[in-house]
Amino acid sequence: MNDTIALGRVAGLRVGLHWSVVGIVVLVVVGLAGYTLPLLYPGHSAVGYVLSGVAAAVLLVASLLAHEVSHAVVARRNGVAVDGITLWLLGGVARLRGEAGSPGAELVIAVVGPAASLVLAVLFGVAWWVADLMTAELVAAVLGYLALLNLVIAVFNMVPAAPLDGGRVLRAVLWRLGGDRYKAAVWSARAGRGLGFVLVALGFVELLARGVGGIWWVLLGWFIISVASAEEQQARVSMALAGVRVRDVMSSPVETADGRRSVEEFVQKVVLDRPHSTFPLTDDSGRFNGLVTLRQLRSVPARERRSTSVAALAVPPERVPAAEPDEPLATVLPRLSADTGGRIVVLRADELVGIVSPSDISRAVARHGLHVGTPGGADLRWSEEEPTPPPGWWFPGQREDA
Ligand SMILES: [Zn+2]
């Protein structure tokens, strides 16, 4: 979901809309204005119905946003960095970079989303009651609809199956009881796959019995199966890396380069000289100052290569995933980002002491005897050139059929 329209910042978090969010708006507007409202509350103008439908759609998207913002804010407060929030067809996703440090933190990060939806359900419910007293029929209908939908979002998300919030709760509880976060994650992901299959089956039944509405459930089920499967694989990778520290796999010492050069000079003096596809930069005092990838360098048109400085192009240091040498490698994996070609820089008190590449991680996984996916060994399908980091731990705010 990279093709997002930046919506701005909420509570300091980058919020983006994926084009598929239009699907939610169309479903709500068409469903309410074209069908439900005229049927239940006849006698209003077409404009009145359409305005009610649009208001309901906008407030529903805002409700989803509130759900995700609450996850993100609590995650940040618990020391988990948040890349941003994206709203799309099936709800919202708060992209967390990293993992909760304890079962308790995991639990609150998960629970706060449904709690926010529940609070919204109550608020819309009260507003519904007031509008009903004032006999504002269509306003009351919209508010009642939003109260009900937020209640459904809160309840559905608490189903104990990953990647739903209830799955995070299950993982936190199993982690607390059994002491192994990754085994807990595997069980929560299995529950997720089970739920996904049930939803797909129910969707097909509804498709046959009642028509196109069932497609929604098939899509939702399929999405849950694919995310849960990816999470299970990620948990297994993490299990295989038990006892491996960042320092065990990192490449060290690191060759750094001066980012003040132009792209043209950089390519001739640095890139052609070294067998790497990612280049850490340092400033005057030798401190780490960002990272530039071959892909970024290539993206500069030939005629601009002389006038563009590498530093202007590079991923700034605060957005480069970083780790300490003694951290367990498994807890670092969720920080991987495609922006930096899957690289993690290893810092000791701001000093760059190493770098971890996807192939370093693949080698570590292979060496520790993991068999993921295909028979015959580690199969992470990471390449130096176009790395695909494993999916981050998501907190999707799934929504019910609108
Ligand atoms: Zn949620």
Side-chain angles (χ1 to χ4, degrees):
M1 273 187 291
N2 289 324
D3 302 315
T4 59
I5 307 154
L7 199 66
R9 285 176 177 271
V10 176
L13 297 154
R14 276 187 294 169
V15 178
L17 289 183
H18 186 250
W19 61 267
S20 63
V21 91
V22 171
I24 297 180
V25 175
V26 168
L27 268 175
V28 173
V29 175
V30 170
L32 283 185
Y35 181 72
T36 312
L37 291 177
L39 194 76
L40 295 179
Y41 310 98
H44 295 274
S45 69
V47 174
Y49 291 132
V50 170
L51 284 181
S52 303
V54 171
V58 170
L59 286 171
L60 177 61
V61 171
S63 301
L64 292 170
L65 183 59
H67 178 115
E68 297 308 327
V69 166
S70 66
H71 281 311
V73 166
V74 173
R76 224 170 30 184
R77 210 169 283 167
N78 280 278
V80 181
V82 182
D83 273 344
I85 292 170
T86 304
L87 298 176
W88 69 303
L89 181 64
L90 297 179
V93 178
R95 294 186 308 281
L96 307 189
R97 205 197 298 158
E99 292 184 324
S102 67
E106 170 108 17
L107 186 79
V108 288
I109 295 170
V111 161
V112 72
S117 296
L118 197 60
V119 168
L120 285 172
V122 171
L123 291 178
F124 280 122
V126 170
W128 172 20
W129 180 67
V130 172
D132 201 44
L133 284 182
M134 295 164 70
T135 63
E137 203 174 56
L138 286 183
V139 176
V142 166
L143 292 169
Y145 172 82
L146 288 164
L148 188 68
L149 223 52
N150 273 293
L151 183 65
V152 170
I153 290 170
V155 171
F156 179 70
N157 267 293
M158 284 308 287
V159 174
L164 301 180
D165 297 328
R168 312 295 180 210
V169 172
L170 177 66
R171 190 167 75 188
V173 170
L174 293 178
W175 178 8
R176 181 58 161 269
L177 293 176
D180 186 330
R181 75 191 301 165
Y182 301 117
K183 265 188 199 146
V186 167
W187 281 107
S188 161
R190 281 183 183 163
R193 274 217 308 263
L195 173 71
F197 283 120
V198 168
L199 291 180
V200 169
L202 288 177
F204 274 116
V205 169
E206 181 159 339
L207 204 60
L208 293 176
R210 299 223 312 245
V212 287
I215 288 177
W216 188 270
W217 294 104
V218 175
L219 273 180
L220 187 59
W222 174 80
F223 171 73
I224 289 178
I225 292 169
S226 60
V227 177
S229 303
E231 286 191 4
E232 183 173 343
Q233 173 165 337
Q234 189 179 353
R236 291 186 180 285
V237 168
S238 300
M239 272 183 197
L241 292 177
V244 181
R245 300 198 171 268
V246 170
R247 62 159 77 247
D248 303 329
V249 304
M250 70 184 188
S251 306
S252 182
V254 185
E255 282 184 281
T256 58
D258 184 350
R260 285 168 305 182
R261 291 174 165 167
S262 71
V263 171
E264 185 178 272
E265 197 191 343
F266 193 87
V267 168
Q268 273 164 12
K269 298 239 166 84
V270 180
V271 176
L272 297 178
D273 245 21
R274 300 183 191 172
H276 308 309
S277 56
T278 319
F279 304 90
L281 308 174
T282 46
D283 64 10
D284 286 341
S285 52
R287 278 221 307 248
F288 175 62
N289 195 32
L291 195 112
V292 74
T293 61
L294 267 188
R295 198 200 245 176
Q296 284 175 313
L297 293 167
R298 264 203 306 254
S299 72
V300 181
R303 60 191 146 74
E304 288 170 25
R305 287 193 180 153
R306 196 169 289 181
S307 57
T308 309
S309 84
V310 173
L313 203 66
V315 182
E318 66 275 8
R319 284 189 40 218
V320 178
E324 286 168 26
D326 289 325
E327 274 188 271
L329 184 60
T331 61
V332 167
L333 292 184
R335 287 176 217 161
L336 292 182
S337 147
D339 293 350
T340 55
R343 301 306 194 279
I344 295 173
V345 295
V346 187
L347 302 173
R348 190 191 287 124
D350 272 358
E351 189 203 342
L352 184 65
V353 294
I355 191 161
V356 178
S357 71
S359 52
D360 294 329
I361 297 169
S362 291
R363 260 196 305 277
V365 171
R367 207 179 303 139
H368 286 78
L370 174 78
H371 298 268
V372 190
T374 55
D379 178 30
L380 289 169
R381 293 202 185 84
W382 279 336
S383 71
E384 285 286 311
E385 192 53 23
E386 302 286 333
T388 313
W393 297 103
W394 286 355
F395 286 79
Q398 301 304 332
R399 53 185 292 281
E400 248 280 18
D401 196 340

